């Protein structure tokens, strides 16, 4: 089966967890909150580890391990993707669940954070094995998921088909259809218009906001995109529609550069036929690392984590960096970019468009009333623009980076919810 979402995004687990906790500590301190919140928020609220025995096509039994972690439920049910990967583990899933808490809070959608994972190599499983694995995993975690409890979505190597199987399995247990139990479903069973493009589109909405404040005229600007996948290709297309010249893009095999700008329609046709952007005619090849330090106004790392490091941060030429990927900039690099006056739109804001439209999908499912694509995009824009403004206000007031500002906004929201609810019992 072809698995189309977020390939290769296996983060350096400890780094991600440690860096997220570091940001939390800083934000709690800046906001003058009770340090007890750090103690609570460092720990996931609920962790479920399950064994998934399935019958393989050759008749043998294999047992897989799966997790679902709910980090915090103060602001609403848990929300977050499910990742299938041979190297996924509990630490990684916990770090990603925590990130989801902040992401949902930054864009002010009424969810807490969650994440799931199954240790497996989906590329080595047949379609039937993958379906049995998914249904058994869905069944095992059904005790903690549900429209009011925890709503999974696709992540690395899971896709709308996997969501459809989860929805069907959960619905079979209930005896009726429960579309709102997952998002990122096919449209035919309650998926939302505009969900596929939502993350890349949201990235560009935040770029537009930042550009206007930095007095970058997108119409006359250039952009480089690392990772021409779901997020990167939509971001490139939307930027190009705004008049921005896309001078470089890349994928796992390498990158291409054209000073006069790439023709994205032709490039998409080339990529569809060859599977890569590499080898596209009349351009200069560029490595994934060199792409990051090209002369351009806007840089969108939309592939992997830890791409901009202490080593290459001093050489970044873009004035604006929007994190399409989760965690593409290391902590050290982040500080260097801040000191150099380069604006970074942090992942928990820049790439939150996906979870925002997932929220819209859930709302539509609960109401059995479905929106047009225009309505989805209008609401997405309004949510992203509003969130950007709120983060920017913190940044201006406190003289901090956009990342610190985003954490302050998120932490404030989560802490206030926890304060009102109080400590049980
Ligand atoms: P995708 O699999 O569609 O695309 C990833 C792209 O990155 C592919 O073109 C791949 O070839 C390329 N790539 C892989 N390794 C690379 C490398 N070493 N150097 C350069 N490029 C490389 O995935 P996606 O959904 O576009 O996700 C991209 C990033 O955005 C991930 O970090 C993901 O976690 C994050 N993200 C995605 C969403 C979403 O809704 N899809 C939401 C939030 C965050």
């Amino acid at each position: 089966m072809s698995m189309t979402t977020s390939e290769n995004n296996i983060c350096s687990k400890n780094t991600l967890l440690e860096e997220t906790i570091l940001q939390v500590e800083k934000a709690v301190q800046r906001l003058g909150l009770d340090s007890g919140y750090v103690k609570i928020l460092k720990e996931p609220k609920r962790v479920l580890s399950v064994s998934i025995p399935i019958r393989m096509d050759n008749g043998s039994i294999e047992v897989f391990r799966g997790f679902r972690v709910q980090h915090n439920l103060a602001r609403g049910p848990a929300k977050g993707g499910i990742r299938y990967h041979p190297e996924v583990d509990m630490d990684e899933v916990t770090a990603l669940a925590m990130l989801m808490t902040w992401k949902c809070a930054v864009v002010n959608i009424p969810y807490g954070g969650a994440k799931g994972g199954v240790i497996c190599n989906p590329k080595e499983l047949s379609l039937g094995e993958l379906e049995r694995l998914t249904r058994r995993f869905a069944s095992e975690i059904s005790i903690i998921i549900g429209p009011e409890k925890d709503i999974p979505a696709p992540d690395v190597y899971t896709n709308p088909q996997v969501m459809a199987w989860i929805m069907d399995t959960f619905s079979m247990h209930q005896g009726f259809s429960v579309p709102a139990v997952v998002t990122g479903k096919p449209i035919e069973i309650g998926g939302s218009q505009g969900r596929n493009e939502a993350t890349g589109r949201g990235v560009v909405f935040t770029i537009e906001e930042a550009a206007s404040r930095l007095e970058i005229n997108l119409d006359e600007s250039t952009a480089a995109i690392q990772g021409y996948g779901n997020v990167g290709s939509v971001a490139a297309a939307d930027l190009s529609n705004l008049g921005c010249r896309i001078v470089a893009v890349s994928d796992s095999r390498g990158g291409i550069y054209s000073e006069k700008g790439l023709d994205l329609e032709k490039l998409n046709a080339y990529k569809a036929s060859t599977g890569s952007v590499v080898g596209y005619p009349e351009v200069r090849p560029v490595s994934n690392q060199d792409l990051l330090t090209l002369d351009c106004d806007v840089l969108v790392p939309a592939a992997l984590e830890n791409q901009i490091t202490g080593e290459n941060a001093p050489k970044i030429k873009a004035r604006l960096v929007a994190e399409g990927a989760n965690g593409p900039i290391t902590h050290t690099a982040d500080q260097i970019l801040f000191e150099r006056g380069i604006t970074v739109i942090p992942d928990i804001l820049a790439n939150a468009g996906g979870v925002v439209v997932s929220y819209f999908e859930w709302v539509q499912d609960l109401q059995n009333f479905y929106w047009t694509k225009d309505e989805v995009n209008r609401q997405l824009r309004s949510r992203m623009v509003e969130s950007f403004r709120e983060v920017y206000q913190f940044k201006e007031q406190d003289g901090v980076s956009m990342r610190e500002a985003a954490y302050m906004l998120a932490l404030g929201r989560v802490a206030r919810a926890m304060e009102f609810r109080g400590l049980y019992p």
Side-chain angles (χ1 to χ4, degrees), residues 18-54:
E18 281 159 16
E19 288 188 1
T20 309
I21 291 173
L22 204 73
Q23 293 294 346
V24 172
E25 283 169 350
K26 271 205 251 178
V28 164
Q29 223 171 27
R30 282 224 157 82
L31 292 166
L33 296 171
D34 181 342
S35 62
Y37 284 120
V38 177
K39 289 189 201 154
I40 300 174
L41 292 167
K42 261 181 175 169
E43 299 289 331
K45 174 184 173 65
R46 192 173 284 142
V47 166
L48 182 62
S49 171
V50 298
S51 156
I52 311 164
I54 64 161

Side-chain angles (χ1 to χ4, degrees), residues 3 26 42 90 167 174 206 230 283 287 292 299 324-325 356 376 392 395 408:
M3 309 296 294
K26 271 205 251 178
K42 261 181 175 169
M90 187 72 98
M167 178 270 200
Q174 304 292 311
T206 64
N230 175 297
V283 295
S287 73
L292 297 170
L299 176 64
V356 168
V376 170
Y392 199 80
K395 165 194 144 59
M408 285 167 78

Side-chain angles (χ1 to χ4, degrees), residues 216-285:
I216 297 175
N217 184 357
L218 287 176
D219 203 10
E220 293 167 359
S221 67
T222 53
I225 320 272
Q226 190 197 47
Y228 198 66
N230 175 297
V231 177
S233 64
V234 173
D238 283 6
L239 279 172
S240 167
N241 288 337
L242 293 169
C244 181
R245 241 182 322 136
I246 309 300
V247 291
V249 301
S250 68
D251 58 32
S252 56
R253 295 194 217 161
I256 54 173
Y257 172 77
S258 161
E259 196 185 342
K260 65 178 167 47
L262 297 159
D263 179 330
L264 296 183
E265 240 172 74
K266 282 190 191 153
L267 176 64
N268 290 342
Y270 178 84
K271 198 192 160 203
S273 68
T274 65
S276 174
V277 298
V278 172
Y280 183 72
E282 292 168 30
V283 295
R284 184 155 69 77

Side-chain angles (χ1 to χ4, degrees), residues 357-424:
V357 175
S358 270
Y359 164 59
F360 296 161
E361 180 176 331
W362 178 73
V363 168
Q364 293 170 74
D365 290 336
L366 291 176
Q367 298 181 340
N368 287 307
F369 181 75
Y370 291 89
W371 310 353
T372 62
K373 196 175 220 173
D374 282 351
E375 180 63 7
V376 170
N377 286 334
R378 192 180 65 75
Q379 298 253 14
L380 172 63
R381 177 190 277 277
S382 132
R383 186 71 61 155
M384 296 304 292
V385 167
E386 181 58 23
S387 308
F388 184 96
R389 285 190 186 141
E390 287 173 309
V391 171
Y392 199 80
Q393 210 172 345
F394 262 109
K395 165 194 144 59
E396 293 287 280
Q397 261 168 27
D398 289 58
V400 294
S401 69
M402 286 286 284
R403 190 183 314 281
E404 285 174 89
Y407 271 87
M408 285 167 78
L409 179 66
L411 252 295
R413 285 189 171 139
V414 175
R416 274 195 301 282
M418 287 166 69
E419 215 160 46
F420 275 120
R421 291 182 62 158
L423 270 188
Y424 179 85

Side-chain angles (χ1 to χ4, degrees), residues 4-9 83 103 155 195 199 226-232 250-252 271 288 302-304 307 324-326 351 354:
T4 51
T5 41
S6 326
E7 288 174 43
N8 302 324
N9 183 37
R83 174 171 291 201
K103 203 175 281 191
D155 190 67
R195 174 63 186 85
T199 306
Q226 190 197 47
Y228 198 66
N230 175 297
V231 177
S250 68
D251 58 32
S252 56
K271 198 192 160 203
N288 262 303
L304 300 173
Q307 293 302 294
N326 288 319
N351 71 32

